[in-house]
Amino acid sequence: MRAMVLQEFNTPLVLSDIKKPSAGPGQVLVKVRASGVNPLDGKIRAGKAAHAKSTLPAVLGLDLAGVVEEAGPGVDGFAPGDEVFGMTGGVGDLQGSLAEYAAVDVRLLARKPASLTMREAAALPLVFITAWEGLVDRAQVRAGQKVLIHGGAGGIGHVAVQIAAARGAEVFATASPARLEFIERLGATAIDYTTTAVDEYVAKYTGGEGFDVIFDTVGGAVLDASFTAVRTYTGHVVSALGWGTHSIAPLSFRGATYSGVFTLLPLLTGHGREHHAEILREAAALADAGLLRPLVDPRRFALAEVAAAHAAVESGTAHSKIVIDVG
């Protein structure tokens, strides 16, 4: 089969003919139709993602959507012809989705939402799982709460806004001036972080009490600011990028709590993979109920054009999810 292979870090991926995998015990063989591009893919290629523990040579690509071609021994619930999606590889020693076929642990898969195209489905897994783990698993977002999403127009952020809104919360989201209208269309109150100070929007939207839940998808100083903007005692800050050095004193003085999200753990350790499939089934239900729609960049990239796709993400010119057409 054809695949894009990374032979050495910080070199281009090479279109190669490699052995087509077969479905082992607990696996299905998926004919890949679309591969979602995440910023992490570029960091892995550049050798700047030690936390992904990638083993070379590697086929990158975390997210896929495709069709089951073969079910391995012991597989129940999936059969040839089923349309599926998931975050299934591209880290550790797991083959990624930048290939015509992938042998995938069924615990990482769910049936593709009927209302979404293959490209839209491939745009969802990593960002939806990350947002769900933060908002639902950690913070237990619910109706009646005021929720602030930092980076609400980004890949994780725009999905997080839709999850929080679907669960009945009153949603606010920070963004740059050019993305404020998009935030409003998602159903959130948009906050221009370039012109509005933290204490100003906390006072304006919470009466100075702070937000019940803050989900940070930016990291750095934005996470530090979150510690000062959360509600006293009951507030909860969650971050998908809490990798730096931060003072938790502002959070401690408010008596609030913090959680981190590391979405790759089930892929790297093998533990908790079933929960990823459970989360993806929630994504499918929301999408088919009309409550979730990923924003996909209209540009089309073939398998051999991965370098251009990665460049679009790394340059910041992509204002929505880049998806590569594989099949």
Side-chain angles (χ1 to χ4, degrees):
M1 68 174 182
R2 296 189 311 154
M4 296 298 293
V5 179
L6 179 65
Q7 296 287 355
E8 295 182 21
F9 292 122
N10 207 28
T11 64
L13 278 69
V14 178
L15 184 63
S16 307
D17 287 318
I18 65 173
K19 183 179 179 181
K20 177 181 174 182
S22 57
Q27 294 182 326
V28 293
L29 181 66
V30 177
K31 182 174 178 57
V32 181
R33 294 284 181 81
S35 172
V37 180
N38 295 285
L40 178 58
D41 297 316
K43 293 176 182 177
I44 293 173
R45 182 189 56 76
K48 298 178 179 179
H51 60 287
K53 300 179 180 178
S54 299
T55 303
L56 301 184
V59 176
L60 304 188
L62 292 106
D63 295 335
L64 65 72
V67 179
V68 173
E69 184 164 290
E70 171 194 348
V75 171
D76 294 318
F78 291 100
D82 288 343
E83 295 184 335
V84 294
F85 75 131
M87 186 179 77
T88 59
V91 297
D93 59 357
L94 299 176
Q95 183 208 303
S97 56
L98 290 175
E100 292 177 317
Y101 294 89
V104 176
D105 186 336
V106 293
R107 296 176 297 169
L108 296 169
L109 287 174
R111 282 186 171 77
K112 182 185 77 66
S115 60
L116 299 186
T117 65
M118 286 287 181
R119 286 170 53 79
E120 289 172 325
L124 271 178
L126 182 144
V127 295
F128 188 91
I129 292 169
T130 302
W132 185 274
E133 286 187 344
L135 289 173
V136 182
D137 291 349
R138 308 291 193 275
Q140 300 176 353
V141 165
R142 57 194 179 273
Q145 291 183 319
K146 290 189 175 184
V147 176
L148 174 64
I149 311 295
H150 282 305
I156 298 170
H158 88 286
V159 169
V161 167
Q162 294 176 78
I163 291 173
R167 293 181 69 84
E170 184 180 1
V171 188
F172 304 82
T174 59
S176 62
R179 306 296 279 163
L180 298 179
E181 183 180 347
F182 171 64
I183 294 292
E184 296 284 348
R185 291 202 305 270
L186 291 177
T189 298
I191 299 171
D192 182 351
Y193 71 85
T194 68
T195 60
T196 311
V198 176
D199 57 349
E200 292 176 340
Y201 63 69
V202 170
K204 180 176 180 178
Y205 296 116
T206 75
E209 295 294 325
F211 295 91
D212 297 292
V213 174
I214 299 178
F215 187 36
D216 160 49
T217 72
V218 181
V222 173
L223 178 54
D224 291 323
S226 300
F227 293 157
T228 69
V230 71
R231 182 179 289 275
T232 302
Y233 294 127
T234 59
H236 195 116
V237 176
V238 185
S239 180
L241 286 173
W243 301 339
T245 300
H246 301 270
S247 171
I248 63 170
L251 187 73
S252 299
F253 285 131
R254 300 182 79 83
T257 55
Y258 168 80
S259 294
V261 175
F262 184 37
T263 315
L264 301 183
L265 270 179
L267 287 180
L268 295 172
T269 67
H271 300 298
R273 290 183 176 182
E274 296 90 346
H275 187 48
H276 274 196
E278 293 170 353
I279 294 172
L280 291 173
R281 289 194 288 271
E282 296 284 355
L286 287 176
D288 288 340
L291 299 174
L292 172 68
R293 183 66 58 174
L295 187 63
V296 177
D297 193 291
R299 286 174 288 182
R300 308 295 288 250
F301 299 90
L303 186 60
E305 299 172 316
V306 170
H310 283 190
V313 173
E314 293 162 11
S315 67
T317 61
H319 292 300
S320 51
K321 193 69 174 280
I322 296 283
V323 176
I324 294 168
D325 298 305
V326 179

